[in-house]
Amino acid sequence: MIITQIWIIFVLLFLNTEVNSDSLQTQILEARQLFPFRSYKDVQLFHYTVPSQVTFASFQYKANGSFHCPYKTIAVYLQYGSYPVMSLQNSSYPDFFAIHRMFLHDITLQSNFVPATINITNPFPGNWYAAAFLVENTERIAQKGLFIPCLSWLSSSLKFDTSKKVKTILQNSEITQETTSFQLYRFFALKNSWTSRIQLTNCSYEGKCPVIIRARQLGLPSSNSAESVFANCSNTEECFLNLIPAADNWNYVSVESLLPEPLQYTLKINTVDCKETFLDADTVYQVPSNDDFEGNSSTVDVSFLNSSLQSTLCWPSIPLVRISLPTNLAFEYNLPPEEDDAYPFILNISNSKNTLTSFDVLSTVDIGGTLVIELAVSPFMNLSQNNVTVSGCLSYGVRPDSDDNDCSNGMYLSANTSSWENRLSTLFVPYPEAGTWFLRLNAQCYESNDTNTSMVFIPCELSKTPVFLRIRSTPCVSGHCGKYGTCYQYVSGGLIFSTCNCIAGWKGWGCTDNKTAKTDGELMLDVLLLTLSNLLFIPAIILSAYKKYFTEAFIYFATMASSSFYHACDAEVYSFCLIRLGVLQFCDFYLAILSVWVTLIAMAKLPDKVQNFVHMAGAVGVALGVEYDRTGLWVFVLPTGIGLTILLTSWITRCYKKHSCYPSRRVWLFCLLPGTLLAVIGLVIYAFFETKDNYAYVHSAWHATIALSVLFLLREKKRVCKSTPEQTSSCSYIQVGNITCHDPSQPVVNPYSQLLAPTP
């Protein structure tokens, strides 16, 4: 492996010592529709690819919206290596979440075609991701089809400028250079590179080196980059800078002259490499000597190597094995299997020096989950000698510095034996950046004072400490979102990610923020209102049955039952599902519209045969409409419009035949007008006043008004023709609508008696 890497470097050095590229390049992403933010599933993700050696990148965003709508505010978050992690809706994160992002940028803009840009100097090469969404505070429930939707789209482009000349040099070599202002270099650090020293000697200006050296792993250094290290050597004869290189990757160096005239100098890059062979926790890696660099005309700075050996000692390394799990966004890193193919759980780490391990997070397939690091002191450890604390420092891209005991440039976790609760420490990293991650482990022995508030470190009696280490990735928060949320996986722009959908007013990354949460009493009240309000259909059912409207009574009963069971199943916390929610929702919408249909047909007083046909035609038509689009406006308007047309046609025909107004003025005043008014009030509050906060109250009022309106609309008793074979030739008749019926209160009279009577 090392020979291959060295050969690649030699080829690059021979073929392309000065890396040249086009000065300006552009990436354009098509416009996408944006949505109001309720959870992370509502964001639109944009993906960019930034090549290496880019000196300036400009991410431009331009939004437009529907012409009839006011401008909307749009938020864009830009992140290197993975999807942006941002605190939204003023919500908090779950415990033990590491949310610090080094390369997160954000802007806001309006949907008015005015572009907004995020400009980044010397960005990291690789994948960049942006998350965009609408910033809206409205909680109104807009009924589909009643309002003209206000849509917004966001288009994006990336323009970047690459450096024209970057000189490639080898590790443990030197190069003589003359520059007038600024020069960039790069060197490839092999897999086991430990530390590097960048040194300028033989400067041509009065025995001094008036330059500024900057170095950065993975990307070009800059003065405003927090990841860059620098040294100002304006008054020194030699200028040097120590760097922890990014192993198995490119590292970059810039030399900036402080003189107006040309400056000549010799640049050396010496690197300490650790042996590739895995050793146990008590073994120190050996530093290579000058003889290890055969074919290199320059010499290695041995004093630098000796000083590096004394300060760092090349920590023992623990190899890990990746295990891909069948679930999306899930993987594990375990210790290598033993002879019986079993994966060990306990790792023995040194009590005298740091221990290092590393693992990779793959691009696209891994970054949409949550990285979980679990560190614990073995419960089987003998604590008769002393207590032990084990700390971990997780860093991205570059190994943690040995001098950084507080892990200020990484993510810290710690476990100790002071109590059973403290033996385990867990760290969550949402949407981890793709690349190599390093974990530094350190074990120390201590004595606790009486107050147990501080630790006094003492020498350990044992040389090793057994610890439990587990590195894995899961969707959401260990695959769950607590009691008040559900974990889902979504795809946006071809990118897969997991997120929690919270309920009952809970919010946050893991649905753990209860600042706006509903109490149990409020949740129970909502369920009771939405279900028990349907009992107001009982008077309508009884009245319909009493007036012989048996079909209508059954439809009202089915509507009451389906609506009650649907809302009981659709409840956020206290739910009960008799059958699948989708089936209950279909029944609720279908029977609600069908009840309107049968009510209008009953009011029309059609002949029996016509009424039976119209009922069946309506049942089939409503079923087709609800199945096609159960939440659409037309699935309600069309049956209602046709029913009203049939009703008015029947009434007008009746008025024409009777030569008088039908129904009567008394019926209009005391029956139709109150019933219609209740129905209209219910429709208005259902269509225009529902919000997520008042949904239970307003929707229950809709149930009540519609149910009570039936009591007024079905005003007349349905009369049925009764006849016997003996009554077919002679009976008394009364006219009821278009049906001629026998009146049993009148005596039977032969209508032809006068014709058959003898002539006086």
Side-chain angles (χ1 to χ4, degrees):
M1 178 64 70
I2 296 179
I3 298 176
T4 303
Q5 293 172 340
I6 295 176
W7 173 251
I8 293 173
I9 296 175
F10 272 114
V11 171
L12 289 172
L13 181 63
F14 179 76
L15 295 179
N16 192 19
T17 301
E18 294 184 357
V19 181
N20 298 305
S21 60
D22 295 336
S23 176
L24 185 63
Q25 301 181 42
T26 303
Q27 295 178 11
I28 299 177
L29 280 68
E30 292 186 356
R32 298 183 191 171
Q33 183 182 348
L34 301 181
F35 304 95
F37 182 86
R38 298 293 179 267
S39 67
Y40 209 96
K41 68 179 178 64
D42 300 316
V43 305
Q44 281 284 11
L45 293 177
F46 297 83
H47 174 223
Y48 315 89
T49 301
V50 176
S52 59
Q53 300 163 188
V54 170
T55 58
F56 179 79
S58 178
F59 298 84
Q60 186 179 88
Y61 301 93
K62 184 184 296 184
N64 64 293
S66 303
F67 292 104
H68 60 276
C69 299
Y71 296 144
K72 294 189 175 183
T73 303
I74 297 167
V76 179
Y77 288 80
L78 180 66
Q79 171 70 47
Y80 167 74
S82 185
Y83 312 136
V85 175
M86 53 277 189
S87 178
L88 302 169
Q89 298 178 324
N90 195 26
S91 60
S92 61
Y93 291 89
D95 295 335
F96 314 114
F97 255 58
I99 57 175
H100 174 66
R101 312 290 277 197
M102 293 186 296
F103 311 106
L104 182 63
H105 309 266
D106 65 279
I107 58 169
T108 57
L109 65 155
Q110 300 292 319
S111 57
N112 55 3
F113 294 94
V114 177
T117 59
I118 298 177
N119 297 324
I120 303 176
T121 302
N122 295 349
F124 265 28
N127 297 314
W128 288 75
Y129 301 90
F133 54 89
L134 295 176
V135 181
E136 289 188 356
N137 296 323
T138 178
E139 294 292 330
R140 189 183 70 176
I141 301 176
Q143 304 301 329
K144 185 178 178 180
L146 287 178
F147 303 93
I148 300 177
C150 291
L151 307 180
S152 299
W153 295 267
L154 181 69
S155 60
S156 177
S157 64
L158 167 62
K159 296 181 179 180
F160 54 87
D161 191 7
T162 58
S163 60
K164 296 181 179 180
K165 294 182 179 180
V166 177
K167 294 183 178 296
T168 302
I169 59 177
L170 291 177
Q171 296 183 101
N172 305 298
S173 63
E174 65 180 30
I175 183 175
T176 301
Q177 180 71 32
E178 182 178 88
T179 183
T180 56
S181 58
F182 186 81
Q183 180 60 52
L184 290 170
Y185 305 90
R186 69 174 185 175
F187 67 95
F188 192 87
L190 300 181
K191 183 178 181 180
N192 294 316
S193 298
W194 190 254
T195 58
S196 296
R197 167 169 286 195
I198 304 155
Q199 188 171 7
L200 263 66
T201 59
N202 303 325
C203 294
S204 61
Y205 179 74
E206 300 178 356
K208 296 182 180 180
C209 277
V211 297
I212 296 177
I213 303 178
R214 290 187 175 89
R216 188 186 185 197
Q217 307 91 341
L218 304 175
L220 296 177
S222 62
S223 58
N224 57 358
S225 174
E227 302 80 36
S228 298
V229 294
F230 73 97
N232 190 332
C233 308
S234 57
N235 296 318
T236 59
E237 296 182 359
E238 292 187 0
C239 187
F240 66 90
L241 181 65
N242 294 329
L243 176 72
I244 300 176
D248 201 21
N249 219 314
W250 290 103
N251 299 266
Y252 296 85
V253 179
S254 68
V255 178
E256 180 183 357
S257 175
L258 302 178
L259 298 177
E261 64 270 11
L263 177 66
Q264 188 176 17
Y265 53 83
T266 299
L267 175 64
K268 297 180 181 180
I269 297 181
N270 296 324
T271 301
V272 174
D273 292 337
C274 293
K275 296 296 184 181
E276 188 174 11
T277 305
F278 170 71
L279 302 177
D280 62 27
D282 288 331
T283 305
V284 179
Y285 287 105
Q286 299 300 319
V287 178
S289 64
N290 292 337
D291 296 335
D292 294 331
F293 300 94
E294 297 180 0
N296 184 6
S297 59
S298 62
T299 60
V300 181
D301 190 341
V302 179
S303 61
F304 159 66
L305 297 182
N306 292 333
S307 62
S308 299
L309 177 61
Q310 295 174 0
S311 60
T312 62
L313 295 179
C314 290
W315 310 329
S317 178
I318 305 298
L320 297 176
V321 178
R322 178 186 172 96
I323 302 176
S324 297
L325 303 178
T327 307
N328 290 333
L329 308 174
F331 62 85
E332 285 188 4
Y333 277 95
N334 291 333
L335 297 173
E338 297 176 343
E339 295 180 357
D340 56 353
D341 293 333
Y343 293 96
F345 292 98
I346 300 299
L347 168 67
N348 292 319
I349 65 173
S350 172
N351 291 334
S352 58
K353 62 182 72 68
N354 294 325
T355 302
L356 183 67
T357 187
S358 63
F359 57 93
D360 292 327
V361 173
L362 303 182
S363 178
T364 305
V365 296
D366 288 349
I367 60 177
T370 301
L371 181 65
V372 184
I373 310 294
E374 294 173 303
L375 177 64
V377 182
S378 173
F380 308 106
M381 183 180 178
N382 184 5
L383 299 178
S384 60
Q385 303 296 332
N386 45 248
N387 285 319
V388 177
T389 177
V390 179
S391 62
C393 182
L394 181 69
S395 64
Y396 170 70
V398 182
R399 166 180 54 85
D401 192 351
S402 59
D403 296 330
D404 187 11
N405 295 325
D406 296 331
C407 194
S408 58
N409 294 324
M411 307 167 197
Y412 184 77
L413 67 164
S414 177
N416 60 66
T417 57
S418 60
S419 65
W420 283 104
E421 293 78 8
N422 294 331
R423 279 180 176 264
L424 173 64
S425 178
T426 305
L427 179 68
F428 296 92
V429 183
Y431 299 163
E433 293 94 331
T436 302
W437 290 76
F438 295 88
L439 178 62
R440 183 193 69 194
L441 298 175
N442 177 265
Q444 291 179 291
C445 300
Y446 69 94
E447 290 180 349
S448 299
N449 58 15
D450 296 336
T451 60
N452 199 26
T453 58
S454 63
M455 297 181 180
V456 178
F457 294 105
I458 60 175
C460 296
E461 296 292 337
L462 302 176
S463 61
K464 299 178 182 178
T465 296
V467 299
F468 169 83
L469 176 64
R470 188 181 185 188
I471 300 174
R472 59 192 176 101
S473 174
T474 64
C476 302
V477 185
S478 297
H480 304 283
C481 297
K483 180 181 177 181
Y484 301 97
T486 307
C487 181
Y488 291 97
Q489 296 183 24
Y490 296 91
V491 176
S492 175
L495 305 171
I496 184 172
F497 62 94
S498 63
T499 186
C500 290
N501 285 350
C502 306
I503 60 174
W506 291 73
K507 58 184 180 179
W509 200 267
C511 302
T512 56
D513 191 327
N514 62 352
K515 289 193 290 290
T516 59
K518 293 183 178 181
T519 64
D520 290 343
E522 292 173 332
L523 293 172
M524 183 60 70
L525 178 62
D526 290 348
V527 177
L528 293 176
L529 283 174
L530 291 170
T531 53
L532 298 182
S533 60
N534 290 283
L535 296 179
L536 291 175
F537 273 97
I538 293 178
I541 296 170
I542 296 174
L543 179 65
S544 301
Y546 174 76
K547 293 189 174 184
K548 311 301 182 184
Y549 291 103
F550 298 111
T551 301
E552 290 76 6
F554 172 75
I555 296 298
Y556 298 149
F557 173 79
T559 301
M560 177 188 69
S562 64
S563 180
S564 298
F565 284 118
Y566 166 67
H567 286 293
C569 184
D570 192 46
E572 291 183 325
V573 176
Y574 299 103
S575 62
F576 168 76
C577 293
L578 183 65
I579 53 179
R580 283 191 298 111
L581 179 63
V583 177
L584 292 173
Q585 186 187 53
F586 173 84
C587 295
D588 180 41
F589 282 79
Y590 172 69
L591 291 171
I593 299 174
L594 189 60
S595 64
V596 176
W597 172 263
V598 299
T599 302
L600 295 175
I601 300 304
M603 294 170 61
K605 302 295 183 182
L606 299 175
D608 286 345
K609 293 184 178 180
V610 178
Q611 180 171 305
N612 292 337
F613 170 77
V614 173
H615 274 332
M616 292 304 300
V620 174
V622 171
L624 291 175
V626 172
E627 180 62 25
Y628 179 75
D629 185 8
R630 64 189 61 176
T631 60
L633 177 64
W634 287 104
V635 73
F636 178 82
V637 171
L638 196 60
T640 304
I642 295 175
L644 287 173
T645 302
I646 295 174
L647 173 66
L648 294 177
T649 302
S650 175
W651 284 0
I652 292 173
T653 302
R654 198 180 298 268
C655 291
Y656 175 76
K657 290 182 178 181
K658 294 180 63 176
H659 301 289
S660 63
C661 181
Y662 182 85
S664 65
R665 182 178 301 176
R666 181 181 179 86
V667 172
W668 274 104
L669 183 61
F670 294 102
C671 297
L672 297 182
L673 184 60
T676 303
L677 185 61
L678 282 172
V680 170
I681 291 175
L683 289 173
V684 169
I685 62 176
Y686 171 78
F688 299 101
F689 292 97
E690 276 190 355
T691 66
K692 292 188 175 182
D693 291 334
N694 67 13
Y695 174 78
Y697 303 94
V698 173
H699 202 79
S700 299
W702 148 259
H703 290 165
T705 53
I706 295 299
L708 294 176
S709 66
V710 178
L711 296 175
F712 294 92
L713 295 178
L714 293 183
R715 69 211 181 284
E716 291 188 24
K717 186 175 182 179
K718 186 176 182 180
R719 300 190 181 185
V720 182
C721 277
K722 296 181 179 179
S723 61
T724 63
E726 293 78 9
Q727 294 173 333
T728 54
S729 59
S730 60
C731 60
S732 297
Y733 296 90
I734 58 174
Q735 190 75 15
V736 180
N738 293 332
I739 306 175
T740 303
C741 299
H742 167 250
D743 188 354
S745 64
Q746 300 295 330
V748 178
V749 178
N750 188 344
Y752 302 103
S753 59
Q754 294 182 354
L755 297 178
L756 299 178
T759 303

